[in-house]
Amino acid sequence: MRLILLGAPGAGKGTVAKLLTQIDGSVQISTGDILRGAVQAGTELGKQADAYMKAGDLVPDDLIMGIMETRLQEPDCAKGFLLDGFPRTIPQAEALKVLLNKLGIKLDVVANIEVPREEILNRLTTRRTCSNTSCQAIYNVRSNPPKVAGVCDKCGSPVIQRDDETDEAISKRLDTYFEKTAPLIEFYRQEGLLLVVDSPASEGVVDAIQQRIAAGA
Ligand code: AP5
C-alpha cells in the first residue's frame, strides 16, 4: 500500500503505521524517527534539526524534501510505503506530488486520524519511546506499557520520554499542527484521496484504511 497518515501530534500515526507494516511489508517512513536518529548520531542533518525539534517547530521544508527524495527511491519502497509525519506543510505536499508524478507512483489513500485534543494531551504526556534509534518502539504508561518498566520489549534498550515532550514543546507542536499541517486535510480532500478516521482504537483505524484500499482496488 502507498499511503499518507495525517493527524495531530499524538494522534497515533506511528502506532497505526507499525500495525500496517505487518500486513503487507510496506515500509514505515517517519520523518520524525529519521530526524531523531540524525540528532542522536550527531550528523550535519541532526545538528540543523535539533533546535527546531526541541522547540516544537517544524524543520525547514528544503531539509525534509532532501531526505524524502532520496528515501522514496530506495529499493524497499517498491513494496509500498506508509508516510508518517510527512508531508507537514502545503509546500511539502506540493513537492511530494511532483516527486510522485516523476516516479510514476500513485497514492492509495491519505488517512486523517482525528482524536480529541484532551485525549491527545493525555497520550503525549504518558507516551514512552524506545531510545534505540533503529527500534523507536512506541509505548504508553497508561494504555500500552512495556512488560518490564523502562525496558523495550523488542530490543531491551531503555524506554524514555522524547525531548519534545515538555509541556511547552507539546503546546507549540499542537499550535504548529493547526497552523501549518491541518490545511493538508483540505488539500487532499480536493485531490480525492482523503479518508477521515475517528476510531478510538488503532486497530479500528487500520480496518478503515484496509476497507478503503480494498474498495478502491
Ligand atoms: P514526529 O515524530 O512526526 O511527531 P508528531 O507528528 O508530533 O507525532 P508523534 O510522533 O508525537 O505522534 P503520533 O501521531 O505518531 O502518535 P503515537 O503513535 O506515537 O515529529 C517530531 C518533530 O520532528 C516535529 O515536531 C518536527 O520538528 C520534526 N518533523 C518531523 N517531520 C517533519 C516534517 N515533515 N516537516 C518538518 N518537520 C518535521 O501515539 C502517541 C501515544 O498515544 C503513544 O503513547 C501511543 O502508545 C498512544 N496511543 C496511540 N494510539 C492510541 C489509541 N488508539 N488509544 C490509546 N493510546 C494510543
Side-chain angles (χ1 to χ4, degrees):
M1 62 187 97
R2 292 178 176 80
L3 66 90
I4 293 174
L5 292 166
L6 287 182
K13 304 179 294 293
T15 303
V16 166
K18 285 180 171 59
L19 292 172
L20 287 168
T21 58
Q22 292 161 20
I23 292 172
D24 69 354
S26 297
V27 285
Q28 175 191 10
I29 304 178
S30 158
T31 38
D33 286 353
I34 293 170
L35 292 169
R36 279 185 289 280
V39 170
Q40 199 167 324
T43 64
E44 191 49 42
L45 168 67
K47 285 180 193 148
Q48 292 185 59
D50 193 24
Y52 293 103
M53 294 176 75
K54 279 200 181 110
D57 276 326
L58 292 183
V59 172
D61 289 339
D62 56 340
L63 279 184
I64 297 292
M65 287 316 301
I67 298 170
M68 291 307 294
E69 282 198 39
T70 309
R71 184 66 188 91
L72 281 169
Q73 295 183 68
E74 286 173 8
D76 60 347
C77 290
K79 283 185 287 186
F81 52 77
L82 315 159
L83 302 184
D84 160 13
F86 170 84
R88 207 76 160 220
T89 62
I90 294 286
Q92 289 182 20
E94 284 168 344
L96 175 65
K97 189 174 170 182
V98 171
L99 176 63
L100 293 179
N101 278 343
K102 191 174 91 182
L103 300 176
I105 295 172
K106 267 189 72 171
L107 290 171
D108 295 312
V109 67
V110 176
N112 182 45
I113 308 174
E114 286 196 341
V115 177
R117 188 184 173 101
E118 198 181 319
E119 172 65 9
I120 281 183
L121 291 172
N122 276 338
R123 288 185 188 178
L124 287 178
T125 48
T126 52
R127 174 173 51 194
R128 299 292 181 271
T129 309
C130 175
S131 58
N132 172 358
T133 52
S134 56
C135 178
Q136 300 203 36
I138 302 165
Y139 298 95
N140 191 287
V141 292
R142 238 178 4 143
S143 59
N144 178 30
K147 290 190 184 84
V148 177
V151 180
C152 179
D153 295 349
K154 297 199 172 91
C155 74
S157 301
V159 166
I160 55 163
Q161 256 190 306
R162 280 172 26 183
D163 285 347
D164 61 358
E165 278 168 341
T166 60
D167 287 351
E168 204 181 338
I170 289 172
S171 160
K172 174 74 178 158
R173 281 162 62 207
L174 285 171
D175 290 347
T176 303
Y177 167 77
F178 286 110
E179 184 193 342
K180 303 213 168 121
T181 307
L184 294 183
I185 298 169
E186 192 49 38
F187 179 95
Y188 285 114
R189 196 190 308 279
Q190 286 183 18
E191 297 280 313
L193 286 166
L194 188 71
L195 169 71
V196 177
V197 203
D198 63 1
S199 166
S202 303
E203 291 74 14
V205 177
V206 168
D207 286 349
I209 291 171
Q210 283 191 283
Q211 280 171 25
R212 166 68 178 256
I213 292 176

